[in-house]
Amino acid sequence: MKQKKLVVGNWKRPTIKETEILAKKIKEKFSSFIDADVVVCPNNLSILEVSKILEESPVKVGAQNAYWEEKNPCTGETPPSMLLEANCRYVILGHHERRHVFKEDDEMVKNKLLSVLRVRDIVPIICIGETLDELKSGRRDYVLLEQIQHILSDVQLNFNQKIVVNYSPIWAIGTGNVINPKEAEEAAQVIKINLREVFGYDLVNSNFKVIYGGSINSENVHDFVVQENIDGVLVGGASVDADELYKIASLMSK
Ligand code: PGA
């Protein structure tokens, strides 16, 4: 059976109050929505409130980051078990902004992934992508393969565990520079071929989604989701407008 497409809203900007208002609008708009899987990822300070608001909603709640240790606490970090306690069902790992600002590397993202998989019931959304220089020098595929192989190298997948790989070219995040959908499809295909080599065809079809992120909005999303290997989108800026997010999600099954 074909999996539903996935829409992930990365709510980076809104304040606590704005997030609450936004979540209430989302609850209303998406009350009977079934055409795609929809996830919103608020700031950690808003996760509990948003989880409460969306308790009966088909829209799931995710986090923007997780720590890689459960047993050894680290000041300011949130372990996956606590995210689960707050009803998070998804978590974004290794977003470019975290890699860039906090120098998170593939080894850290791998450890975060393993720690998320240990608590089960949370779907990791692993972010990978190339810089503009890497793209221009023709190294994109090599960079993607290297990231996948490093991050997923120690993963033992059980049959219920889902994993999302978010392909976000770094130069397209928050810039309005949209990649040609055919190039995104090419990259998604490269990612899937590599995943199949590691996990096998059936498991990749049933348990993995490869999505695209970077300057997506309701005007351009259709050209991405009609591509064979793109199973959804991660949306930053455009996702903090409930009407826009609804439009984007509604285009997933068209
Ligand atoms: P954007 O953000 O849609 O505003 O480019 C994407 C992201 O958060 O990765």
Side-chain angles (χ1 to χ4, degrees):
M1 203 178 78
K2 220 170 160 26
Q3 295 191 67
K4 278 188 196 174
K5 301 258 179 189
L6 173 69
V7 180
V8 181
N10 188 13
W11 289 357
K12 294 178 264 191
R13 282 176 208 277
T15 62
I16 296 177
K17 193 69 212 156
E18 287 164 350
T19 302
E20 190 187 323
I21 295 167
L22 181 56
K24 285 181 178 156
K25 281 193 193 149
I26 294 286
K27 181 188 173 186
E28 210 180 290
K29 283 205 92 67
F30 284 85
S31 60
S32 52
F33 188 82
I34 51 165
D35 293 347
D37 293 328
V38 182
V39 183
V40 292
C41 302
N43 181 284
N44 273 6
L45 287 178
S46 294
I47 284 176
L48 274 175
E49 185 61 24
V50 174
S51 290
K52 245 187 262 162
I53 294 169
L54 296 179
E55 208 174 342
E56 307 285 319
S57 166
V59 177
K60 301 279 178 272
V61 181
Q64 297 174 11
N65 182 31
Y67 186 46
W68 60 74
E69 274 275 3
E70 286 291 338
K71 291 203 181 91
N72 301 315
C74 179
T75 303
E77 290 290 323
T78 312
S81 59
M82 213 183 275
L83 294 177
L84 189 61
E85 210 182 334
N87 283 324
C88 276
R89 297 293 163 180
Y90 288 79
V91 61
I92 299 171
L93 301 177
H95 189 280
H96 160 64
E97 286 149 5
R98 297 203 55 86
R99 290 174 182 262
H100 179 67
V101 179
F102 300 105
K103 308 289 172 253
E104 279 185 13
D105 59 17
D106 289 340
E107 183 65 14
M108 293 182 199
V109 180
K110 169 183 154 177
N111 289 331
K112 286 173 184 227
L113 171 64
L114 293 174
S115 144
V116 167
L117 295 181
R118 275 194 289 273
V119 300
R120 297 162 187 258
D121 296 329
I122 298 184
V123 180
I125 302 167
I126 304 158
C127 300
I128 59 173
E130 80 285 356
T131 63
L132 195 54
D133 278 352
E134 286 163 346
L135 178 74
K136 283 185 175 159
S137 59
R139 296 180 63 237
R140 182 197 65 193
D141 293 357
Y142 173 76
V143 169
L144 295 179
L145 294 191
E146 208 178 46
Q147 288 176 327
I148 290 180
Q149 279 170 2
H150 192 144
I151 296 168
L152 289 159
S153 57
D154 290 341
V155 168
Q156 305 279 339
L157 212 57
N158 73 47
F159 266 90
N160 300 322
Q161 180 66 56
K162 310 276 185 198
I163 294 187
V164 178
V165 177
N166 170 46
Y167 167 57
S168 279
I170 289 166
W171 48 276
I173 301 172
T175 57
N177 295 330
V178 185
I179 178 176
N180 181 324
K182 287 269 170 238
E183 282 170 35
E185 164 65 6
E186 223 179 79
Q189 197 176 10
V190 167
I191 293 168
K192 281 207 179 148
I193 289 171
N194 198 255
L195 290 173
R196 284 181 187 133
E197 274 168 20
V198 182
F199 296 99
Y201 192 88
D202 289 344
L203 206 56
V204 172
N205 275 2
S206 55
N207 291 33
F208 281 84
K209 279 183 176 151
V210 176
I211 65 174
Y212 168 78
S215 298
I216 282 289
N217 56 44
S218 62
E219 303 279 298
N220 60 26
V221 69
H222 178 258
D223 294 342
F224 286 87
V225 292
V226 291
Q227 306 295 333
E228 194 183 329
N229 288 290
I230 298 180
D231 306 315
V233 285
L234 184 141
V235 192
S239 72
V240 297
D241 174 333
D243 294 329
E244 178 72 355
L245 190 64
Y246 188 78
K247 267 193 223 161
I248 291 170
S250 302
L251 287 164
M252 289 295 126
S253 58
K254 298 262 154 58

